[in-house]
Amino acid sequence: MKKPHVVVLGAGFGGLECCRHLSEEDVNITLVDRQNHHLFQPLLYQVATCGLSMPDIAKPIRSIFTRKKNLSILMQEVESIDLDQKKVTLSTQELNYDYLVIALGAVTGYFGNDQWAEFAPGLKSLDDAARIRREILYAFERAEVVDDPTEHQRLLNIVVVGGGPTGVELAGAFAELTNHVMAEDFQKINPREARVILIEAAPKILGMFPEPLPQQAYDQLRALGVEIRLNTPVKDIRKYTVELEDETIEAANIIWAAGVQAEPITRDLSIEKDRGGRIIVEKDCSVPKYPEVFAIGDIASMTDARNTKVPGVSPGAIQMGSHVAGIINRETGDEHPFPSGTRSHFVYWDKGSMATIGRSAAVASVAGLKMSGFIAWVLWLAVHLLFLVGFKNKTSVLLQWFYAYVRYRRGARIITGLEKLAHSN
Amino acid sequence: MKKPHVVVLGAGFGGLECCRHLSEEDVNITLVDRQNHHLFQPLLYQVATCGLSMPDIAKPIRSIFTRKKNLSILMQEVESIDLDQKKVTLSTQELNYDYLVIALGAVTGYFGNDQWAEFAPGLKSLDDAARIRREILYAFERAEVVDDPTEHQRLLNIVVVGGGPTGVELAGAFAELTNHVMAEDFQKINPREARVILIEAAPKILGMFPEPLPQQAYDQLRALGVEIRLNTPVKDIRKYTVELEDETIEAANIIWAAGVQAEPITRDLSIEKDRGGRIIVEKDCSVPKYPEVFAIGDIASMTDARNTKVPGVSPGAIQMGSHVAGIINRETGDEHPFPSGTRSHFVYWDKGSMATIGRSAAVASVAGLKMSGFIAWVLWLAVHLLFLVGFKNKTSVLLQWFYAYVRYRRGARIITGLEKLAHSN
C-alpha cells in the first residue's frame, strides 16, 4: 500500500520541527524551500551588523536530514496551492499530497506602503542582511571622502523604524558598530557625528515585554547613544529620507523593522485570513474545511486552546510543527488509527522573551522573572548558543562573540557584491 | 615642510606590505583599493568549494592600519594614472603624489578570448568565489529534480580549465565536495555520476613544481576521482560547453583557472609591458623613466638582480613591497638621504611552493625538499595558518578545517544571492 504523502512547505523553524517529528515508517515526506538553507533568524541582525558571517547562522537543509530516508528535499519556489485538488505547483513540477503543512513564514510588511520597500529594506533573509551590511559599510567609506557637510552627515545617519526586538537589537548593534569601528578605523569621521535613530509609533519600545523591561531597554539603548523617538509614526519614506510628524531625517541607511506580514502566497487562497494575510487556523492548526491542510508558524494566526494568541516567534512555530507532526503520525500509523475529529488542540508554552541591546546589555522575561543588563545578556548568550546546536560551528560562533566582547571587534566587516550597491557614486 | 606623499594603489599582499614598512614620520601615505578588505587569495578556492566562509579569508583594510596615523585609506576605483603630471584619478577625486606604488594585481585572463568569461568565470575575488559556490550548489539542487538524463549529467559535471595550483586545488576540493556531500545529502543523485574534469594544455599539471611532484599530484587527484586531460588545449567555450580537440564536454559549471593578466589599467600607460599587460620594471622595481613610480606584485614583470623571473605568487609581491618601502624610506628620511641612482636591486627569495589536493593530500617543494601526501598537507596547513595571522579568527578557521577533516563536512554550503543565478529555470 502506498504511504500517505506529506508535503511540508518551508524549512523554517516550524517546517523543520514538523519534519523531524514525522514518522520514518508511515509516511513519505517532501520538504520544499526556495533556499537551500535553514536560517537561524533570531541572529540575522548580527550578520547585518558585522558580528557574524552568513554560514554561522545558516545550515544546509540537506545536512539536517541526511539520515531520514523517507524525506525528499526540493529547492523550489512554491508557485500556487490548490486546496481542492490537493496539489502544490512548484517552479518546475507539481506535487500531490495527502497532508499539506504550510510553514512559509512571513515577509517584511509595510502596512500598505509597499513603495517604501525600496528605500527602507527589511531584514528577513541572508541577502537582506548582506545588503544592509554592504550599504552601511559603504556609506562610512563614502563619508570618509565626502567634504559636503550635509552629505557627510546623511551618510553617517542610520534610521531604524520599529521598536520591537529586531529594531532594538539592530539599533544597539549599529550604535556599538559606529561608536567603536568608526573611532578606530577612520581618520576624518568623528564617531560622535554618527547618529543611530530608532523610531517607534507606540509610547514605548519592546511593548510586548512586561514593565519595567521596556524602560530598562530604553535606558540601555540611550546609554549606547541611540536617539529614540516614541509616539512617532512614520509619515513617508523616500530616498534617503524619513518623514515624521514634525521632523524630516536624512539618512543614507533606513532599515524597516516595523512589521511583517504572511508570505504573499496566502493572497490566492480563498480561506479566512487576518489583516496581515495570516491563515486563521483551527485549534488543531488545520485550515478550516481542509482538515488535511495545516498552517504553522508566522503564516498562521492561531489562538490556542487556552485562548492565548500565539506570537510570531520561533518557539511558537516549533511547538506548532511538533503538534502537527503528532496529529499526522497518529492518523497514519497502523497501531493507533485515530479518526479525525478527535485531534488534540494546540497549547502554546510561553518560554519567555529576550532581546539583546549590546555588549553585556539585554532584557529578558522568563517564567515570571524579569532581568536586565549583564545577567540578561549572559542568559541571552547561553540560550542562543544552546539553540545554535547543529549550526556550522557553535565553538566558532562563541569564539567570535568572545573576541568581539573583549576587543570590541567586528570580524565580518567585509563588503561584497559591490555591483549591487544602491548609491554607486 | 610638507612631507612627501606616497600613494599606494591596491591593498593586496604587495601594497599592504609596502604600507607596513613605510616610515611613520617621514611620509604621508594614501592607500587606495576598490574593496574595503584585504583578501587572502591563496585560500579563495576554499570559499568557492564551501570549506570556508568569506570573512575567514578577508580582513577590513582599515582594521590593519588602525594605529598608523600617517596613512589614509580610500575605498575608490582607480580610473586613470597620469605619470607625467604625477596624478591619479579616482572615482570621485584626484590625488597628486611624490611617490606612486602600483600594486593593483591581476585579473582573470582569457588569452584574447574574452567572450569565454561569461561561461567560464575565474576566481580572483570574494564575489567570484560566491558566484562559483552558488552556481555549483544550485546545479546539484537542479540535478536532484531533473529527469532528462542528458540535462541531469550536465548539471553534475564540473570542468576546471588550467592545471596550475589554483586549478589543481579547485579540482581536488570539488571532487571531495561531490564525493561526500552528494553521497550524504541527495536522494536521487548517485555520487558516481558526478564528474570533475581538469583540463591542461601542457603535458603535465603543476608544471612549475620539480619532478616527481607533478606526477604525484596527478596520482593524488586521480585517486579522488578527478578526470585529467593533459596536452589538451581548449578550442572554444560556449554556454555549458567546453570544446576540446576531439571531445565536447557539457557541464553546468566551467571554471577558468588557466591564466591571469595584469589589471587592465596598465593598457592606458605608455610604458613597456609584457604580453600579459604586466609593467616591465627596473631592478629596483621602478617604472622605466619614472623613478618615483614603482610597480610590484602581479602587475609587474620583474627579473631580479640574479636574473630570476619573479613568479606571480604572494611571497614575490610581499618581498617587492618591502623592498620599495625601504627605497622610499631611505630617500625621504632625514638621516640617510640617498640620492636616487644608488638604489638597491631587488632579489627574490624563493620560499618554495605548495599546492593542496584534498584531505591529507598535497605536494610541496621547500628549500630543495620535495614532499607529497600527508606530510605535505600538514606543512601546507601549518604555513597557511601561520600566514593567516590577523585574519578574522585563526582558531575558527583551524576548527573548521579540523571539523571538515574529521567529519568530511563543508559548513559553508549556503546558497545566497539567488537573484544572480545564471540559469534561473
Side-chain angles (χ1 to χ4, degrees):
Chain A
M1 203 189 87
K2 202 156 161 286
K3 291 182 195 170
H5 184 206
V6 183
V7 172
V8 179
L9 305 180
F13 286 106
L16 275 197
E17 190 72 5
C18 183
C19 289
R20 278 206 189 94
H21 286 268
L22 280 170
S23 159
E24 296 239 21
E25 285 80 36
D26 300 322
V27 293
N28 286 318
I29 311 163
T30 303
L31 173 58
V32 181
D33 200 286
R34 70 158 66 97
Q35 302 282 3
N36 83 325
H37 53 267
H38 168 67
L39 183 63
F40 194 80
Q41 287 218 18
L43 289 175
L44 200 50
Y45 82 96
Q46 291 237 354
V47 173
T49 56
C50 314
L52 291 174
S53 62
M54 296 192 187
D56 290 333
I57 63 156
K59 191 171 164 58
I61 300 165
R62 295 191 182 281
S63 70
I64 300 173
F65 293 110
T66 296
R67 278 171 197 81
K68 195 139 185 167
K69 294 302 166 209
N70 62 330
L71 184 142
S72 297
I73 295 163
L74 299 178
M75 183 183 162
Q76 298 258 306
E77 193 82 31
V78 179
E79 304 283 351
S80 66
I81 300 170
D82 188 330
L83 296 175
D84 295 312
Q85 301 284 323
K86 299 192 185 180
K87 195 173 73 180
V88 178
T89 305
L90 309 179
S91 325
T92 68
Q93 67 191 108
E94 286 187 352
L95 295 174
N96 295 299
Y97 61 78
D98 298 299
Y99 286 96
L100 177 67
V101 182
I102 306 174
L104 290 165
V107 300
T108 305
Y110 292 86
F111 310 124
N113 297 293
D114 287 350
Q115 71 279 14
W116 296 354
E118 189 185 343
F119 313 117
L123 180 64
K124 289 298 288 178
S125 70
L126 282 181
D127 288 323
D128 288 342
R131 172 179 169 178
I132 292 171
R133 181 175 75 186
R134 175 169 59 236
E135 296 289 344
I136 286 183
L137 291 176
Y138 189 64
F140 296 173
E141 295 289 341
R142 291 282 302 132
E144 180 79 353
V145 295
V146 158
D147 290 323
D148 176 60
T150 313
E151 168 81 353
H152 182 79
Q153 184 60 56
R154 191 178 77 190
L155 288 164
L156 293 179
N157 288 355
I158 300 172
V159 173
V160 178
V161 182
T166 302
V168 165
E169 296 187 315
L170 278 173
F174 284 137
E176 291 202 324
L177 184 70
T178 55
N179 290 344
H180 299 286
V181 169
M182 285 194 186
E184 285 184 11
D185 281 2
F186 292 84
Q187 287 200 318
K188 288 194 193 163
I189 298 175
N190 178 346
R192 258 164 301 190
E193 296 168 336
R195 295 168 65 194
V196 178
I197 304 148
L198 179 64
I199 294 169
E200 168 59 46
K204 57 182 178 179
I205 58 168
L206 296 182
M208 68 296 290
F209 283 67
E211 288 293 354
L213 298 182
Q215 184 59 45
Q216 287 171 335
Y218 183 94
D219 296 339
Q220 292 179 64
L221 274 181
R222 293 288 298 127
L224 284 174
V226 176
E227 301 173 39
I228 308 175
R229 307 275 193 280
L230 298 176
N231 300 302
T232 307
V234 167
K235 291 278 166 206
D236 192 21
I237 297 177
R238 298 183 302 277
K239 192 173 187 186
Y240 305 146
T241 306
V242 182
E243 187 103 31
L244 307 176
E245 188 73 54
D246 35 36
E247 185 184 13
T248 300
I249 304 172
E250 299 236 313
N253 282 285
I254 306 165
I255 321 292
W256 182 264
V260 295
Q261 61 188 33
E263 164 63 37
I265 193 117
T266 63
R267 282 183 202 152
D268 303 329
L269 298 177
S270 334
I271 47 178
E272 206 186 343
K273 283 154 279 182
D274 75 1
R275 283 203 316 156
R278 290 174 200 82
I279 301 167
I280 298 174
V281 293
E282 306 279 5
K283 298 289 179 212
D284 61 351
C285 300
S286 72
V287 173
K289 286 184 278 179
Y290 297 94
E292 73 283 3
V293 181
F294 300 89
I296 62 175
D298 287 358
I299 206 169
S301 170
M302 152 60 82
T303 306
D304 80 351
R306 291 182 187 151
N307 229 18
T308 305
K309 182 85 181 61
V310 181
V313 295
S314 55
I318 290 172
Q319 294 170 31
M320 290 164 92
S322 137
H323 182 81
V324 164
I327 290 174
I328 296 174
N329 285 341
R330 277 194 298 277
E331 295 183 0
T332 56
D334 288 336
E335 298 183 24
H336 309 282
F338 277 60
S340 62
T342 61
R343 287 175 174 179
S344 61
H345 288 183
F346 178 67
V347 178
Y348 174 59
W349 178 36
D350 185 357
K351 294 183 171 178
S353 333
M354 42 179 65
T356 177
I357 288 150
R359 190 175 104 132
S360 62
V363 291
S365 158
V366 180
L369 270 170
K370 297 167 203 165
M371 284 160 277
S372 83
F374 183 71
I375 191 164
W377 183 76
V378 169
L379 184 69
W380 177 90
L381 208 69
V383 167
H384 282 82
L385 280 176
L386 209 68
F387 278 101
L388 271 178
V389 174
F391 277 78
K392 196 188 73 175
N393 200 322
K394 253 193 307 182
T395 326
S396 155
V397 173
L398 181 61
L399 274 169
Q400 282 173 64
W401 282 347
F402 179 76
Y403 189 65
Y405 180 77
V406 177
R407 302 276 310 273
Y408 265 127
R409 282 274 176 186
R410 296 287 172 87
R413 233 154 58 238
I414 304 301
I415 304 181
T416 53
L418 274 182
E419 82 280 5
K420 294 201 286 181
L421 276 169
H423 33 156
S424 57
N425 67 334
Chain B
M1 202 189 88
K2 200 156 163 283
K3 292 181 195 172
H5 184 207
V6 183
V7 171
V8 178
L9 304 180
F13 285 106
L16 275 198
E17 189 73 4
C18 182
C19 288
R20 278 206 189 94
H21 287 269
L22 280 170
S23 159
E24 297 238 21
E25 286 80 37
D26 301 322
V27 293
N28 286 320
I29 311 163
T30 302
L31 174 59
V32 181
D33 200 286
R34 69 158 66 96
Q35 303 282 1
N36 83 325
H37 52 266
H38 169 68
L39 183 63
F40 194 82
Q41 286 218 18
L43 289 176
L44 199 50
Y45 82 95
Q46 292 236 354
V47 173
T49 56
C50 312
L52 291 174
S53 61
M54 296 192 187
D56 290 334
I57 63 157
K59 191 172 164 57
I61 300 164
R62 295 191 182 281
S63 71
I64 300 172
F65 293 110
T66 295
R67 278 171 198 81
K68 195 139 186 169
K69 295 303 168 209
N70 63 329
L71 184 141
S72 296
I73 295 163
L74 299 178
M75 182 182 162
Q76 298 258 306
E77 192 82 31
V78 179
E79 304 283 351
S80 66
I81 300 170
D82 187 330
L83 296 175
D84 295 313
Q85 301 284 323
K86 298 191 185 180
K87 194 174 73 179
V88 178
T89 304
L90 309 178
S91 326
T92 68
Q93 67 191 109
E94 287 187 351
L95 295 174
N96 295 299
Y97 60 79
D98 298 299
Y99 285 97
L100 178 67
V101 181
I102 306 174
L104 289 164
V107 300
T108 305
Y110 293 86
F111 309 124
N113 298 293
D114 287 350
Q115 72 277 16
W116 297 354
E118 189 185 342
F119 314 116
L123 180 64
K124 289 298 287 178
S125 71
L126 282 181
D127 288 323
D128 289 344
R131 171 179 170 178
I132 291 171
R133 182 174 74 185
R134 176 169 58 237
E135 296 287 345
I136 286 183
L137 290 176
Y138 189 64
F140 296 173
E141 294 289 341
R142 291 281 303 134
E144 181 78 354
V145 294
V146 158
D147 290 323
D148 176 63
T150 313
E151 168 80 354
H152 181 80
Q153 183 61 55
R154 190 177 78 190
L155 287 164
L156 292 179
N157 288 354
I158 300 172
V159 172
V160 177
V161 183
T166 302
V168 164
E169 296 186 316
L170 278 173
F174 284 138
E176 290 200 326
L177 184 70
T178 54
N179 290 344
H180 298 286
V181 169
M182 284 194 187
E184 285 183 13
D185 281 2
F186 291 84
Q187 288 201 317
K188 287 194 192 163
I189 298 175
N190 178 345
R192 257 164 301 190
E193 296 169 336
R195 294 168 65 193
V196 178
I197 304 148
L198 179 64
I199 295 170
E200 169 59 47
K204 59 182 176 179
I205 58 169
L206 297 183
M208 70 294 290
F209 282 66
E211 288 293 354
L213 297 183
Q215 183 60 44
Q216 287 170 335
Y218 183 93
D219 295 340
Q220 292 179 65
L221 274 180
R222 292 288 298 127
L224 284 174
V226 176
E227 302 174 38
I228 309 175
R229 308 273 192 280
L230 298 177
N231 300 303
T232 307
V234 168
K235 291 277 168 205
D236 192 20
I237 297 178
R238 298 183 302 275
K239 192 172 188 186
Y240 305 146
T241 307
V242 182
E243 187 103 32
L244 307 176
E245 188 74 55
D246 36 36
E247 184 184 10
T248 300
I249 304 174
E250 298 236 313
N253 282 285
I254 306 165
I255 322 293
W256 183 263
V260 294
Q261 61 188 34
E263 165 62 38
I265 193 115
T266 63
R267 283 183 201 152
D268 303 329
L269 298 177
S270 333
I271 46 179
E272 205 186 344
K273 284 156 278 181
D274 74 1
R275 283 204 314 158
R278 290 174 201 82
I279 301 167
I280 299 174
V281 293
E282 305 280 4
K283 298 288 179 213
D284 61 352
C285 300
S286 72
V287 172
K289 286 184 276 178
Y290 297 95
E292 72 284 2
V293 181
F294 301 89
I296 62 175
D298 287 358
I299 207 168
S301 170
M302 152 59 83
T303 306
D304 81 351
R306 291 181 187 153
N307 228 19
T308 305
K309 183 85 181 61
V310 180
V313 294
S314 55
I318 290 171
Q319 293 170 33
M320 289 163 93
S322 138
H323 181 81
V324 165
I327 291 174
I328 296 173
N329 285 342
R330 276 192 299 276
E331 294 183 359
T332 55
D334 286 338
E335 297 185 25
H336 308 283
F338 277 61
S340 64
T342 61
R343 288 175 174 179
S344 62
H345 288 182
F346 177 68
V347 178
Y348 174 59
W349 177 37
D350 185 357
K351 294 184 170 178
S353 335
M354 42 180 65
T356 177
I357 288 150
R359 189 175 105 130
S360 62
V363 292
S365 157
V366 180
L369 269 171
K370 296 167 206 165
M371 284 160 278
S372 82
F374 182 72
I375 191 164
W377 182 78
V378 169
L379 184 68
W380 177 89
L381 207 68
V383 167
H384 282 82
L385 279 177
L386 208 68
F387 278 101
L388 272 179
V389 174
F391 277 78
K392 196 187 72 176
N393 198 324
K394 251 193 309 180
T395 326
S396 154
V397 173
L398 182 60
L399 273 170
Q400 282 174 63
W401 283 347
F402 180 76
Y403 189 65
Y405 180 78
V406 176
R407 301 277 310 273
Y408 265 127
R409 283 274 175 186
R410 296 287 172 87
R413 234 154 57 235
I414 305 299
I415 304 181
T416 54
L418 275 182
E419 81 281 5
K420 294 202 286 182
L421 275 169
H423 33 153
S424 56
N425 67 333

